[in-house]
Amino acid sequence: MEIYVHIPFCIKKCTYCDFLSAPMDDEIKDKYVKALCKEIENGNNKDEFVSSIFIGGGTPTVLKGEYIEKIIYTICENYNVNLDAEISIECNPGTITYEKLISYKRSGINRISFGLQSSHNDELKKLGRIHTYEDFVENFELARQVGFKNINIDLMSGLINQSLKKFSDTLNKVAKLNPEHISVYSLIIEENTPLYEYVRKMERDGIDIRPLEEVEREMYKVTKQILSSFGYERYEISNYSKSGYECKHNIGYWTGIDYIGFGIGAASYKNFGNKAIRWKNTDSISKYLDNIETKQDVERLTIDDMMSEYMILGFRLCKGVSKKDFYNKFGVTLQKKYGDIINKYLVNGFLAENEDRVFLSEKGIDVSNYILCDFM
Ligand code: SF4
């Protein structure tokens, strides 16, 4: 089982962000952490073995180090956390200090995930990020000094007016720092964000400021080329790592293991053999502080839903879906359940297979959305 903890606080809202996060005062932060720990205690289950914990947000590192320690100790007291569990914290450059890093280390955190997005300060500014590239490098080096040996850096492609050259420059600079893991997601312009309004205004004025689709496709190709030249392997559509440093927590999501989410908006998923249930905590901080048990969007999944999700998530991984694991999990062969669809895409080269696995080919990745629709 995996645990996700949502910390919905940020110093200031980025222009593109529609995540459940906002700046809030210290009193709310204090109440929230107390409520969070209560929710974790209420879920107490020593029969569950926890393979990973992910403290995400928001910006978890805006909290005092002692709050993060308290959250992790509460989890360890109420669940059986494996000795080799991956324990990650999301961190925004400019929000960590030596003392906070020491406190993370003491509490067992062994993976830091930096949200950097770009190495160019003009691009960071347009995104509304609170930090510069120099702030990030300083924080990254501090994390190394304190002894963190597993660091991820999140980057973005397809930024406003971003050229292929500038994007490649970011990749080269970041890869030279030699983090263990790099994620590269394409910027999505979400409605109801300041960036969305800005892009629409420019479009109304006849100015298109997004990189062209061909440039974005080129960015995707270049990412693999540059990162593989530094020894990173792409193991998922947007994730690259040095050997042995794939993110265990995300692999858990993509392979359908159970997870529990604590905090506002956090989702949970529990498997009961031939059915599963998914639910979410309330999105409202005031409702959560009143009653930590407020749930929403409860969804019951049939075995067909579970098989469909298993395929869609499994194809995100470069190694694809294991025929043996599929049979062990669902008691039916992959060929019997999805043989017609798989064969169609094998024939036209969008899927490939080996003895045990079926996976998207390079040309299949380009049109993965269409292929995955067939498994819904
Ligand atoms: S730091 Fe992350 S969560 Fe916070 S506002 Fe920016 S993008 Fe959103």
Side-chain angles (χ1 to χ4, degrees):
M1 189 194 84
E2 304 193 321
I3 288 182
Y4 174 77
V5 179
H6 190 72
I7 308 293
F9 310 120
C10 284
I11 292 194
K12 117 179 198 303
K13 210 65 188 155
C14 299
T15 56
Y16 60 95
C17 178
D18 75 338
F19 303 146
L20 199 50
S21 68
M24 278 177 222
D25 62 37
D26 287 349
E27 198 189 328
I28 299 273
K29 287 179 188 152
D30 188 65
K31 282 188 185 158
Y32 185 78
V33 172
K34 284 193 182 120
L36 200 50
C37 291
K38 187 84 195 115
E39 192 196 358
I40 295 167
E41 280 165 12
N42 288 358
N44 172 301
N45 191 344
K46 283 278 188 185
D47 296 335
E48 295 278 11
F49 288 87
V50 176
S51 55
S52 72
I53 301 172
F54 195 98
I55 317 240
T59 307
T61 46
V62 297
L63 289 181
K64 292 180 207 156
E66 65 201 62
Y67 282 148
I68 299 291
E69 283 191 62
K70 186 164 185 263
I71 293 166
I72 298 200
Y73 289 144
T74 310
I75 294 173
C76 293
E77 271 168 16
N78 289 280
Y79 289 87
N80 254 318
V81 178
N82 295 344
L83 284 176
D84 65 348
E86 177 189 88
I87 308 183
S88 307
I89 188 163
E90 269 187 324
C91 160
N92 264 323
T95 59
I96 55 168
T97 57
Y98 179 78
E99 290 70 29
K100 281 186 188 176
L101 286 166
I102 293 285
S103 132
Y104 302 159
K105 197 111 200 81
R106 198 167 41 226
S107 64
I109 290 175
N110 49 30
R111 185 171 184 272
I112 304 250
S113 179
F114 280 106
L116 169 63
Q117 319 313 349
S118 166
S119 69
H120 297 281
N121 290 338
D122 59 327
E123 290 179 343
L124 292 174
K125 204 166 172 197
K126 280 186 204 143
L127 291 172
R129 305 286 302 178
I130 55 161
H131 57 87
T132 61
Y133 179 65
E134 293 69 31
D135 293 332
F136 156 74
V137 174
E138 205 177 287
N139 281 189
F140 178 86
E141 283 169 358
L142 200 57
R144 285 295 199 216
Q145 273 170 34
V146 170
F148 284 96
K149 296 191 172 68
N150 188 357
I151 298 185
N152 167 57
I153 300 176
D154 281 342
L155 298 176
M156 272 185 178
S157 63
L159 304 181
I160 302 302
N161 290 329
Q162 189 177 41
S163 64
L164 189 57
K165 154 104 191 42
K166 270 180 114 170
F167 174 65
S168 305
D169 191 41
T170 289
L171 289 173
N172 276 300
K173 266 183 166 154
V174 166
K176 272 188 198 139
L177 292 171
N178 207 22
E180 285 66 31
H181 192 284
I182 299 178
S183 302
V184 188
Y185 288 95
S186 172
L187 172 67
I188 296 174
I189 312 271
E190 302 284 359
E191 279 186 45
N192 301 319
T193 60
L195 193 62
Y196 178 87
E197 298 308 326
Y198 177 66
V199 171
R200 290 294 158 268
K201 182 186 170 304
M202 295 304 270
E203 280 174 356
R204 280 196 298 274
D205 293 346
I207 307 166
D208 199 352
I209 51 176
R210 299 268 347 236
L212 298 170
E213 220 175 278
E214 306 87 86
V215 177
E216 286 221 51
R217 258 203 299 276
E218 206 44 43
M219 285 175 176
Y220 189 69
K221 286 197 185 123
V222 140
T223 304
K224 188 176 176 194
Q225 281 162 11
I226 294 179
L227 295 187
S228 60
S229 75
F230 284 91
Y232 294 90
E233 196 180 333
R234 182 166 77 200
Y235 69 96
E236 191 266 349
I237 292 181
S238 309
N239 284 280
Y240 302 77
S241 77
K242 293 279 171 85
S243 172
Y245 287 95
E246 298 82 3
C247 175
K248 281 190 197 168
H249 190 80
N250 282 344
I251 289 181
Y253 284 143
W254 297 320
T255 50
I257 77 169
D258 289 358
Y259 52 87
I260 297 196
F262 296 112
I264 61 166
S268 303
Y269 175 83
K270 187 139 182 65
N271 214 309
F272 301 93
N274 62 357
K275 60 184 176 199
I277 180 163
R278 182 165 32 228
W279 67 93
K280 249 178 86 183
N281 283 358
T282 174
D283 286 342
S284 152
I285 195 154
S286 55
K287 280 192 191 152
Y288 181 76
L289 292 179
D290 275 354
N291 177 8
I292 45 179
E293 301 299 333
T294 317
K295 310 289 180 220
Q296 62 186 32
D297 305 340
V298 179
E299 198 186 341
R300 287 179 173 76
L301 286 88
T302 63
I303 187 119
D304 279 335
D305 298 330
M306 291 161 72
M307 287 193 269
S308 162
E309 278 196 3
Y310 191 79
M311 299 306 288
I312 290 167
L313 293 173
F315 277 138
R316 294 188 61 97
L317 293 166
C318 297
K319 63 182 185 181
V321 175
S322 156
K323 299 171 193 174
K324 196 166 108 224
D325 291 350
F326 187 91
Y327 180 76
N328 288 342
K329 198 167 168 73
F330 300 112
V332 56
T333 64
L334 196 54
Q335 190 58 29
K336 185 159 185 214
K337 179 68 188 167
Y338 292 115
D340 290 351
I341 308 173
I342 290 174
N343 292 342
K344 177 175 86 179
Y345 288 119
L346 283 173
V347 168
N348 59 24
F350 289 114
L351 287 180
E353 68 176 339
N354 58 30
E355 205 182 321
D356 181 44
R357 309 195 79 100
V358 185
F359 49 94
L360 289 168
S361 64
E362 280 293 325
K363 78 172 190 175
I365 289 177
D366 281 345
V367 288
S368 59
N369 286 348
Y370 297 100
I371 298 174
L372 297 182
C373 280
D374 271 358
F375 290 91
M376 284 173 153

Coordinates of all heavy atoms in Angstrom, one line a residue, residues 85-116:
A85 N 11.0 1.6 2.6 CA 10.0 2.5 1.9 C 10.6 3.7 1.3 O 11.6 4.3 1.9 CB 8.9 2.9 2.9
E86 N 10.1 4.1 0.2 CA 10.5 5.4 -0.5 C 9.7 6.5 0.2 O 8.4 6.4 0.2 CB 10.3 5.3 -2.0 CG 10.6 6.6 -2.7 CD 10.1 6.5 -4.2 OE1 8.9 6.8 -4.4 OE2 10.8 6.0 -5.0
I87 N 10.3 7.5 0.8 CA 9.6 8.6 1.4 C 10.0 9.9 0.8 O 11.1 10.3 0.9 CB 9.8 8.6 2.9 CG1 9.6 7.2 3.6 CG2 8.9 9.7 3.6 CD1 9.7 7.1 5.1
S88 N 9.1 10.5 0.0 CA 9.4 11.7 -0.8 C 8.7 12.9 -0.3 O 7.6 12.8 0.2 CB 8.9 11.5 -2.3 OG 9.4 10.3 -2.8
I89 N 9.3 14.0 -0.5 CA 8.7 15.3 -0.2 C 8.9 16.2 -1.4 O 9.9 16.3 -2.0 CB 9.2 16.0 1.1 CG1 8.4 17.2 1.4 CG2 10.7 16.4 1.0 CD1 8.5 17.6 2.9
E90 N 7.8 16.9 -1.8 CA 7.8 17.9 -2.9 C 8.4 19.2 -2.3 O 7.9 19.6 -1.2 CB 6.5 18.1 -3.5 CG 6.2 17.2 -4.6 CD 4.8 17.6 -5.3 OE1 3.9 18.0 -4.6 OE2 4.8 17.4 -6.5
C91 N 9.2 19.8 -3.1 CA 9.9 21.0 -2.5 C 10.0 22.1 -3.6 O 10.3 21.8 -4.7 CB 11.2 20.5 -2.1 SG 12.4 21.8 -1.9
N92 N 9.7 23.3 -3.2 CA 9.9 24.4 -4.1 C 11.2 25.1 -3.8 O 11.4 25.5 -2.6 CB 8.7 25.4 -4.1 CG 7.7 25.1 -5.1 OD1 8.1 24.8 -6.2 ND2 6.5 25.3 -4.9
P93 N 12.0 25.4 -4.7 CA 13.2 26.1 -4.4 C 12.9 27.4 -3.7 O 11.9 28.1 -4.1 CB 13.8 26.4 -5.8 CG 13.2 25.3 -6.7 CD 11.9 25.0 -6.2
G94 N 13.7 27.8 -2.8 CA 13.5 29.0 -2.1 C 12.7 28.8 -0.8 O 12.5 29.7 0.0
T95 N 12.2 27.6 -0.5 CA 11.5 27.3 0.7 C 12.2 26.4 1.7 O 11.6 26.0 2.7 CB 10.1 26.8 0.4 OG1 10.2 25.5 -0.3 CG2 9.2 27.7 -0.4
I96 N 13.4 25.9 1.3 CA 14.0 25.0 2.3 C 15.2 25.7 2.9 O 15.8 26.6 2.3 CB 14.4 23.7 1.7 CG1 15.3 23.8 0.4 CG2 13.2 22.8 1.4 CD1 15.9 22.5 0.0
T97 N 15.6 25.2 4.1 CA 16.8 25.7 4.8 C 17.5 24.4 5.2 O 17.0 23.3 5.2 CB 16.3 26.4 6.1 OG1 15.5 25.5 6.8 CG2 15.5 27.6 5.8
Y98 N 18.7 24.7 5.7 CA 19.6 23.6 6.2 C 18.8 22.8 7.3 O 18.7 21.6 7.4 CB 20.9 24.2 6.7 CG 21.8 23.1 7.3 CD1 22.6 22.3 6.5 CD2 21.9 23.0 8.7 CE1 23.4 21.4 7.1 CE2 22.8 22.1 9.3 CZ 23.5 21.3 8.4 OH 24.4 20.3 9.0
E99 N 18.2 23.6 8.3 CA 17.5 23.0 9.4 C 16.3 22.1 8.9 O 16.1 21.0 9.5 CB 16.9 24.1 10.3 CG 18.0 24.9 11.1 CD 18.9 25.8 10.3 OE1 18.4 26.3 9.2 OE2 20.0 26.0 10.6
K100 N 15.6 22.6 7.9 CA 14.4 21.8 7.5 C 15.0 20.5 6.9 O 14.4 19.4 7.1 CB 13.7 22.6 6.4 CG 12.7 23.6 6.9 CD 11.9 24.2 5.8 CE 11.1 25.4 6.3 NZ 10.3 26.1 5.3
L101 N 16.0 20.6 6.1 CA 16.6 19.4 5.4 C 17.0 18.4 6.5 O 16.8 17.2 6.3 CB 17.7 19.7 4.5 CG 17.3 20.4 3.2 CD1 18.5 21.0 2.5 CD2 16.6 19.4 2.3
I102 N 17.7 18.9 7.6 CA 18.1 18.0 8.6 C 16.9 17.3 9.3 O 16.9 16.1 9.5 CB 18.9 18.8 9.7 CG1 20.2 19.3 9.1 CG2 19.1 18.0 11.0 CD1 21.3 18.3 9.0
S103 N 15.9 18.1 9.4 CA 14.7 17.5 10.1 C 14.0 16.5 9.1 O 13.5 15.4 9.6 CB 13.8 18.7 10.5 OG 12.5 18.5 10.1
Y104 N 14.0 16.7 7.8 CA 13.5 15.7 6.9 C 14.3 14.4 7.0 O 13.7 13.3 7.0 CB 13.5 16.2 5.4 CG 12.8 17.5 5.2 CD1 13.0 18.2 4.0 CD2 11.7 17.9 6.0 CE1 12.4 19.4 3.8 CE2 11.1 19.1 5.8 CZ 11.4 19.8 4.6 OH 10.7 21.0 4.4
K105 N 15.6 14.6 7.0 CA 16.5 13.4 7.1 C 16.2 12.6 8.3 O 16.0 11.4 8.3 CB 17.9 13.9 7.1 CG 18.9 12.9 6.7 CD 19.6 13.2 5.4 CE 20.3 12.0 4.8 NZ 19.8 11.0 4.2
R106 N 16.0 13.3 9.5 CA 15.8 12.7 10.8 C 14.5 11.9 10.7 O 14.3 10.8 11.3 CB 15.7 13.7 11.8 CG 15.9 13.3 13.2 CD 16.1 14.4 14.2 NE 15.3 15.6 14.0 CZ 15.7 16.8 14.0 NH1 17.0 17.1 14.2 NH2 14.9 17.8 13.8
S107 N 13.5 12.4 10.0 CA 12.2 11.7 10.0 C 12.1 10.6 9.0 O 11.1 9.9 8.9 CB 11.1 12.7 9.7 OG 11.2 13.2 8.4
G108 N 13.2 10.4 8.2 CA 13.2 9.2 7.3 C 12.9 9.5 5.9 O 12.9 8.6 5.0
I109 N 12.7 10.8 5.6 CA 12.6 11.2 4.1 C 13.8 10.9 3.4 O 14.9 11.2 3.8 CB 12.2 12.7 4.0 CG1 10.8 12.9 4.6 CG2 12.3 13.2 2.6 CD1 10.3 14.3 4.6
N110 N 13.7 10.1 2.3 CA 14.9 9.7 1.5 C 14.8 10.2 0.1 O 15.7 9.8 -0.7 CB 15.1 8.2 1.6 CG 13.9 7.5 1.3 OD1 13.0 7.9 0.6 ND2 13.7 6.3 1.9
R111 N 13.8 11.0 -0.3 CA 13.8 11.4 -1.7 C 13.2 12.9 -1.7 O 12.2 13.1 -1.1 CB 12.9 10.5 -2.5 CG 12.8 10.8 -4.0 CD 12.1 9.7 -4.7 NE 12.1 9.9 -6.1 CZ 11.1 10.6 -6.8 NH1 10.1 11.2 -6.1 NH2 11.2 10.7 -8.1
I112 N 13.9 13.8 -2.4 CA 13.4 15.1 -2.5 C 13.0 15.4 -4.0 O 13.8 15.0 -4.9 CB 14.5 16.1 -2.1 CG1 15.1 15.8 -0.8 CG2 14.1 17.6 -2.3 CD1 14.7 16.8 0.3
S113 N 11.9 16.0 -4.2 CA 11.4 16.3 -5.5 C 11.3 17.8 -5.7 O 10.4 18.4 -5.1 CB 10.1 15.6 -5.8 OG 9.6 15.9 -7.0
F114 N 12.2 18.4 -6.4 CA 12.2 19.8 -6.6 C 11.3 20.2 -7.8 O 11.5 19.7 -8.9 CB 13.6 20.3 -7.0 CG 14.5 20.5 -5.8 CD1 15.6 19.5 -5.5 CD2 14.4 21.5 -4.9 CE1 16.4 19.7 -4.4 CE2 15.2 21.7 -3.8 CZ 16.2 20.7 -3.6
G115 N 10.5 21.2 -7.7 CA 9.7 21.7 -8.8 C 10.5 22.9 -9.3 O 10.5 24.0 -8.8
L116 N 11.3 22.6 -10.4 CA 12.1 23.7 -11.0 C 11.4 24.3 -12.2 O 11.3 25.5 -12.3 CB 13.5 23.2 -11.4 CG 14.3 24.1 -12.2 CD1 14.7 25.4 -11.4 CD2 15.6 23.5 -12.7

